[in-house]
Amino acid sequence: MKIMGLQKLTLLDYPEHLACTIFLGGCNFSCPFCHNRDLVNVDPQAPTVDEDDFFSLLKKRQGILEGVCISGGEPLLHADLPVLISKIKALGYLVKLDTNGSYPERLEQLVNQKLVDYVAMDIKNAPDRYAMTAGLKELDLAPIQRSIAFLKQGVVPYEFRTTLVAEFHDMEAIEAIASWLEGDSPYYLQCFEDRDTVIQQGLHAPTREDILLFQKRLQTKIPHTYLRGL
Ligand code: SF4
């Protein structure tokens, strides 16, 4: 499996743990607000991180770093992900997985095999806006629903998270999300930041005032709704 990027140290990606992050290429979504355009549409000639170098780093940092975040792209696209994670876990690291929830069987398999310690799943939008927000013409929501239901069982620590974009999220969408996810799940709202590397230019962050209103409304049905990086 090709590792497309490596951030050697992150204080933010893995809650309460010092970690590094690897980025795997390819994604089944094409969210217009995605920052990682080059990880979604991967150039086969793009440079990659040598797997041996990555594992040398993990060996060197044992006792300093606690975790490895696996991000993308969509990491669960890769059927051989369990092999990579097993090697990481063999060195004693915690593993956090970022996912868009499209591959519930693979997610369940990793959790049941105790190969992941924390899962962050994106909730792109309310069900009736999901496809549009994922940059697709249509989308079967059943796998997303199944991933949500699985994580809500609490078999593994997890969070849901949404990147708020003014063009996609309004109070109507927020109310639909609140009804959809209702319960005790940890739910993080993060704000879109424009960058040169986004898939679609010209998008905007909602105002801080709107975000606070969204949080308040969400907390009526999802009490553990928090803001991240705001
Ligand atoms: S935001 Fe995530 S799910 Fe969406 S295109 Fe980017 S990597 Fe894929």
Side-chain angles (χ1 to χ4, degrees):
M1 180 187 316
K2 286 183 181 172
I3 299 173
M4 304 305 297
L6 167 66
Q7 188 179 347
K8 291 182 178 173
L9 176 66
T10 169
L11 306 175
L12 301 174
D13 287 357
Y14 199 139
E16 294 171 29
H17 293 289
L18 215 56
C20 64
T21 301
I22 54 171
F23 299 89
L24 306 183
C27 189
N28 57 321
F29 286 1
S30 188
C31 310
F33 54 89
C34 178
H35 284 159
N36 294 331
R37 185 178 57 207
D38 293 345
L39 291 171
V40 175
N41 305 307
V42 181
D43 175 353
Q45 308 300 327
T48 58
V49 175
D50 184 87
E51 204 174 305
D52 290 340
D53 290 347
F54 167 58
F55 280 102
S56 300
L57 174 90
L58 291 189
K59 281 177 195 154
K60 249 191 273 170
R61 300 273 166 92
Q62 270 174 321
I64 303 167
L65 289 181
E66 301 164 285
V68 177
C69 303
I70 302 184
S71 192
E74 172 49 49
L76 292 176
L77 263 185
H78 303 276
D80 51 347
L81 185 60
V83 178
L84 179 76
I85 298 184
S86 298
K87 287 165 71 180
I88 296 170
K89 300 263 336 151
L91 295 172
Y93 284 92
L94 297 167
V95 170
K96 173 192 174 231
L97 176 74
D98 291 344
T99 180
N100 64 27
S102 295
Y103 300 93
E105 294 90 353
R106 290 180 183 178
L107 173 64
E108 290 171 24
Q109 191 188 18
L110 285 178
V111 170
N112 292 335
Q113 292 176 349
K114 304 213 179 308
L115 288 176
V116 291
D117 302 281
Y118 191 92
V119 178
M121 177 178 160
D122 293 339
I123 301 295
K124 299 296 178 190
N125 209 336
D128 66 347
R129 300 188 190 189
Y130 223 92
M132 173 185 72
T133 314
L136 304 173
K137 285 207 175 88
E138 51 188 37
L139 173 68
D140 176 13
L141 265 188
I144 307 285
Q145 298 267 29
R146 180 167 159 182
S147 293
I148 291 171
F150 174 69
L151 290 174
K152 277 184 151 191
Q153 291 172 24
V155 183
V156 65
Y158 72 99
E159 66 179 51
F160 297 131
R161 60 185 187 185
T162 295
T163 300
L164 296 169
V165 186
E167 283 76 5
F168 294 115
H169 302 97
D170 57 16
M171 192 54 90
E172 193 185 330
I174 291 298
E175 282 172 357
I177 293 172
S179 300
W180 189 29
L181 297 185
E182 182 166 8
D184 282 336
S185 302
Y187 183 36
Y188 287 87
L189 302 178
Q190 33 196 56
C191 191
F192 170 71
E193 281 174 47
D194 201 9
R195 291 188 199 162
D196 289 344
T197 56
V198 293
I199 287 182
Q200 181 184 314
Q201 297 295 319
L203 299 173
H204 301 87
T207 63
R208 185 171 174 78
E209 197 181 25
D210 278 347
I211 292 171
L212 291 172
L213 287 173
F214 293 163
Q215 182 190 24
K216 211 168 167 191
R217 188 62 61 89
L218 285 159
Q219 282 174 332
T220 62
K221 293 193 172 165
I222 311 167
H224 304 292
T225 300
Y226 308 107
L227 306 183
R228 176 174 281 147
L230 289 158

